[in-house]
Amino acid sequence: MPKIDLSGLAADLPQDWSCQGMLTLTLPSPDKRVKPNVILTKEFLPKAMELADYFGKIKESILKRGIQDMKISNEKDIVVSGVRGKMMVCQWDVSQMAKMMGQQKGQPPPPNIPEGQMVKQVQVTLLKDNLAINMTASFPADQFETYYKPFQEFLKSIKIT
């Protein structure tokens, strides 16, 4: 019988259920306004896809957000738990994104986001047959290395069976 175990929450799953969904992990931060986080999703695709095609769609959806000052600084192939994947690092100004989102909704941007507040985000995509695992890790750009190191250790600890 399949099992789930989420840090103190465990359950047995009926044999014919599949486990897919989203999990948000928050990293400790001395700044009460900043919540460095990792969003992890697991899903089963209707059919197997090539990694380049699947990652291309994810990258395209990120670029289509229309964040004007977004810059991709790194893109590379990776392997996690024996599974091939892609990693991309990008950066943008949070206030510009908030402004853009406010305009799309016809609302003013939130007043508590200072101009020039940069975020750096790591996008990791792993693909094994029709199993797709995506991680989006968002950290303050000026503290990226502080948070990126534990994220790398987290990646090393992942076991995909």
Side-chain angles (χ1 to χ4, degrees):
M1 178 175 288
K3 295 182 181 292
I4 58 170
D5 188 350
L6 295 171
S7 190
L9 169 67
D12 293 328
L13 300 178
Q15 198 64 40
D16 58 346
W17 288 17
S18 68
C19 181
Q20 49 185 355
M22 181 171 62
L23 175 67
T24 302
L25 307 168
T26 55
L27 287 71
S29 171
D31 186 338
K32 298 296 180 213
R33 298 170 299 138
V34 175
K35 295 289 185 209
N37 64 75
V38 178
I39 298 172
L40 185 143
T41 62
K42 173 189 169 195
E43 67 176 316
F44 292 98
L45 304 175
K47 62 180 179 164
M49 292 182 73
E50 291 296 318
L51 176 61
D53 295 335
Y54 182 72
F55 185 75
K57 289 180 184 217
I58 290 171
K59 183 177 175 181
E60 181 182 339
S61 73
I62 292 169
L63 293 171
K64 278 187 174 178
R65 290 179 192 161
I67 305 168
Q68 292 178 359
D69 64 338
M70 187 174 114
K71 293 175 183 61
I72 297 172
S73 60
N74 190 3
E75 191 174 327
K76 65 182 180 180
D77 295 325
I78 62 169
V79 176
V80 174
S81 185
V83 177
R84 293 180 33 236
K86 295 264 190 197
M87 178 186 286
M88 177 176 76
V89 178
C90 52
Q91 177 174 304
W92 66 85
D93 183 334
V94 178
S95 66
Q96 294 303 313
M97 184 172 138
K99 205 178 290 182
M100 178 196 72
M101 290 175 74
Q103 288 171 344
Q104 289 173 350
K105 294 178 181 179
Q107 300 172 350
N112 58 341
I113 300 175
E115 235 7 85
Q117 182 177 332
M118 303 300 286
V119 69
K120 212 166 191 179
Q121 190 174 76
V122 182
Q123 175 67 45
V124 173
T125 296
L126 305 170
L127 206 52
K128 179 181 181 184
D129 302 321
N130 70 329
L131 171 64
I133 298 169
N134 288 290
M135 286 168 264
T136 304
S138 302
F139 311 128
D142 62 345
Q143 300 170 49
F144 181 75
E145 288 304 318
T146 300
Y147 294 108
Y148 185 61
K149 287 178 184 176
F151 177 70
Q152 288 175 307
E153 293 303 313
F154 171 72
L155 285 177
K156 290 177 190 175
S157 76
I158 291 175
K159 306 287 182 272
I160 301 169
T161 56

